Amino acid sequence: MQDNEKAGKFDFPRPLTTVDVVIFTIRGEALQVLLVQRPAAEGEPFPQTWALPGGFVDVAKDRDLEACAGRKLKDKTGVTSPYLEQLGSWGNAVRDPRGWSATHAYFALMADVPGAASLATDAQWFPIVGGKIRQKLAFDHGEILSAAIQRLRSKVEYTSLPAYLMPAEFTLPDLQRVYEIVLDRSLEKSAFRTRILAADLIEPIAKMRRGPNRPAQLYRLKKGKEPVYFVRTFNPPE
Amino acid sequence: MQDNEKAGKFDFPRPLTTVDVVIFTIRGEALQVLLVQRPAAEGEPFPQTWALPGGFVDVAKDRDLEACAGRKLKDKTGVTSPYLEQLGSWGNAVRDPRGWSATHAYFALMADVPGAASLATDAQWFPIVGGKIRQKLAFDHGEILSAAIQRLRSKVEYTSLPAYLMPAEFTLPDLQRVYEIVLDRSLEKSAFRTRILAADLIEPIAKMRRGPNRPAQLYRLKKGKEPVYFVRTFNPPE
DNA sequence: GCAATAGTGTCTTTCAGACACTATTAT
DNA sequence: ATAATAGTGTCTGAAAGACACTATTGC
């Protein structure tokens, strides 16, 4: 190794290094994930197949892994996510036909972008039904997506993560619905409200949401709020 | 990219890919972590400095990242760990003077190896005092170690992870002591016992630990037991 | 007996679950 | 008034916290 060092390089083969981002949102009463279609060019692995947004780390452009993830997210959605966390890494000899590769996977939560204006043209939202997605994904992205869904669900049991899936202003029933969508089971209203309000996570604003029924108080996330960890999970199934 | 593909290579520079392992054990009533001393050879970064066991992924030897972590663990301790989980990855332009590098960090839990027989000669256990370690570590390993300690502590609040720090046979007070060492606070005996026994995690064996006092029932981990997740954390501080 | 630690029991507290009840809007 | 949803209150039950109490050993 010392000799390599003196020569200013390392001769052993290096794995490919990529970053992929699992981007979740809530649209149309469903949890959805953003996928991009792989290019059709010959020589590209998995042409035309849907995949997680991601790609090679650019050692010139990317200061660090998280910046790289943020860049790919911005490229595809036009926005920066209010929540970005590392999910894990997947690396082995066979996941990419181009050689030994390791990907650093992130997962991001964002409110539904109102106009699909800023979405990249090759990107599209796909609903998650029954904890799965219909499409067969490129590489091992199906596995990565499953891990992301599992992580999201398990954290939603005892954290305030769904707050990052909400638009700037929302009601408590809105928030509860999002919890229920992600967990795929209903929660008890009264316990839910007590818990969220006790968490000092959101604050009421001087506005109500009106509808064909009793108006609901609008809230916003307290600014600079880190996710809150509850000491108990929600009523665990069975 | 297609052209590169045809040429059978990718011309852009690749980051260095490494794996590091944070190995914890309990020795002498303290949580300890295994460190190795970096080689003194000229050209090696951080000569003589203590670091986490780890190193480059070997695309010829390592089937995947976890196997690589397992290999490095085995090299340094002579044993395979009963618990190995991914901790996260750290990658940026400056953490390694040799260039843009990304490390995949794992954390492992093991019982204290009775004879230090099998420890590598350059490896040594270091106690963690007050959630920190005295040594200044190589690279960003101090940061990785802090993350590992934090992850361990937070998971110990609501999981059975400490079971993997125990020898094959142990008593309930032994296990409680390990929880208390990791969390650095005392737990209430009766609630602790109820909780662990209800978790169906351990089983009594036909043997007692004798001492200058009432003998204690010995238990062992039920085999094939995944870590158990409790629905509540332990009495959270304050 | 005494010291020391193992292990149990009892009462209190906390908080979620269930669910009924009240409140406020549009029509 | 009615439908519909927002929001509150009340009772119960599960499990932890506090802490006292009993149990079993060596000396």
Side-chain angles (χ1 to χ4, degrees):
Chain A
M1 174 114 50
Q2 193 185 331
D3 290 340
N4 291 336
E5 179 87 356
K6 283 200 170 148
K9 56 170 54 182
F10 305 94
D11 292 339
F12 53 84
R14 299 181 180 192
L16 292 162
T17 301
T18 62
V19 166
D20 292 301
V21 191
V22 184
I23 307 170
F24 289 115
T25 199
I26 300 284
R27 311 186 92 199
E29 299 282 298
L31 180 65
Q32 308 224 9
V33 65
L34 192 72
L35 299 178
V36 300
Q37 199 164 22
R38 304 236 357 123
E42 204 199 328
E44 285 284 346
F46 300 96
Q48 309 260 45
T49 310
W50 292 96
L52 296 172
F56 295 113
V57 169
D58 182 330
V59 302
K61 265 200 280 196
D62 298 316
R63 206 179 54 258
D64 56 35
L65 290 172
E66 184 162 328
C68 178
R71 175 169 67 82
K72 295 183 189 297
L73 194 143
K74 180 86 195 255
D75 281 355
K76 295 304 174 189
T77 66
V79 299
T80 60
S81 168
Y83 187 79
L84 183 64
E85 109 171 22
Q86 231 184 42
L87 174 63
S89 53
W90 279 256
N92 61 52
V94 301
R95 58 183 297 278
D96 189 318
R98 294 167 295 192
W100 217 109
S101 82
T103 194
H104 303 263
Y106 282 77
F107 99 78
L109 303 178
M110 56 170 54
D112 190 9
V113 274
S118 43
L119 260 203
T121 54
D122 60 344
Q124 199 176 300
W125 292 108
F126 287 83
I128 287 157
V129 291
K132 302 253 172 189
I133 206 159
R134 286 189 189 294
Q135 329 302 315
K136 184 117 179 95
L137 301 187
F139 306 103
D140 49 4
H141 288 187
E143 196 184 322
I144 296 173
L145 176 58
S146 294
I149 294 168
Q150 205 178 322
R151 167 90 131 251
L152 176 62
R153 285 199 169 162
S154 104
K155 284 194 120 171
V156 166
E157 291 283 357
Y158 61 93
T159 70
S160 63
L161 281 202
Y164 301 105
L165 291 165
M166 307 306 291
E169 303 178 353
F170 56 90
T171 68
L172 274 173
D174 288 346
L175 183 57
Q176 184 175 347
R177 240 166 269 133
V178 170
Y179 269 89
E180 291 174 341
I181 287 167
V182 176
L183 294 177
D184 197 27
R185 70 172 195 270
S186 62
L187 297 177
E188 210 285 318
K189 181 169 54 164
S190 149
F192 179 83
R193 297 173 68 96
T194 309
R195 183 156 158 159
I196 297 294
L197 291 174
D200 189 40
L201 173 75
I202 60 179
E203 53 192 0
I205 61 178
K207 218 184 336 178
M208 307 289 279
R209 153 102 32 96
R210 310 185 71 82
N213 46 31
R214 175 169 173 178
Q217 178 64 53
L218 280 164
Y219 291 85
R220 68 169 168 228
L221 237 195
K222 284 201 178 180
K223 43 175 163 289
K225 257 304 176 184
E226 293 294 299
V228 172
Y229 288 74
F230 305 115
V231 297
R232 276 174 76 162
T233 66
F234 282 108
N235 175 25
E238 104 258 50
Chain B
M1 174 119 41
Q2 193 186 329
D3 291 341
N4 290 337
E5 179 86 357
K6 286 201 167 143
K9 55 169 54 181
F10 305 93
D11 291 340
F12 54 83
R14 301 181 180 192
L16 293 162
T17 301
T18 61
V19 167
D20 292 302
V21 191
V22 184
I23 307 169
F24 289 115
T25 199
I26 301 283
R27 309 185 94 199
E29 299 282 298
L31 181 64
Q32 308 223 8
V33 64
L34 191 72
L35 299 177
V36 301
Q37 198 164 22
R38 302 231 4 118
E42 205 198 329
E44 286 284 347
F46 300 96
Q48 310 259 45
T49 311
W50 291 97
L52 296 172
F56 295 112
V57 168
D58 183 331
V59 302
K61 264 198 283 195
D62 297 316
R63 206 180 53 258
D64 56 33
L65 290 173
E66 184 161 330
C68 177
R71 175 170 66 84
K72 294 181 188 297
L73 195 143
K74 179 87 196 252
D75 281 356
K76 294 304 173 188
T77 66
V79 298
T80 60
S81 168
Y83 187 79
L84 184 64
E85 109 172 19
Q86 232 185 42
L87 175 63
S89 53
W90 279 256
N92 62 50
V94 301
R95 58 183 297 277
D96 188 319
R98 294 167 295 193
W100 217 109
S101 81
T103 194
H104 302 263
Y106 282 77
F107 98 77
L109 303 179
M110 57 171 52
D112 189 11
V113 273
S118 43
L119 261 203
T121 54
D122 61 344
Q124 200 177 299
W125 291 107
F126 287 82
I128 287 159
V129 290
K132 303 253 171 188
I133 205 158
R134 286 190 187 292
Q135 329 301 315
K136 185 117 178 97
L137 300 188
F139 307 104
D140 50 4
H141 287 187
E143 196 184 322
I144 296 172
L145 176 58
S146 294
I149 294 169
Q150 204 177 323
R151 165 86 68 92
L152 176 63
R153 284 198 170 164
S154 103
K155 285 194 119 171
V156 166
E157 292 282 357
Y158 60 94
T159 70
S160 63
L161 282 201
Y164 301 105
L165 291 164
M166 307 306 290
E169 302 179 353
F170 57 90
T171 68
L172 273 174
D174 287 345
L175 182 58
Q176 183 174 348
R177 240 166 268 133
V178 170
Y179 269 88
E180 291 174 339
I181 288 167
V182 176
L183 293 176
D184 197 26
R185 70 172 195 270
S186 62
L187 297 177
E188 210 286 318
K189 181 169 53 164
S190 150
F192 179 83
R193 298 173 67 95
T194 309
R195 183 157 160 159
I196 297 293
L197 291 174
D200 190 39
L201 174 75
I202 59 179
E203 55 192 1
I205 60 177
K207 219 186 331 179
M208 307 290 278
R209 153 103 32 97
R210 311 186 70 82
N213 47 29
R214 176 171 172 176
Q217 178 64 53
L218 280 164
Y219 291 85
R220 68 171 167 225
L221 239 194
K222 284 200 178 180
K223 44 176 160 289
K225 258 303 177 186
E226 293 295 297
V228 172
Y229 287 74
F230 305 115
V231 296
R232 279 175 76 162
T233 65
F234 283 107
N235 173 25
E238 105 262 52

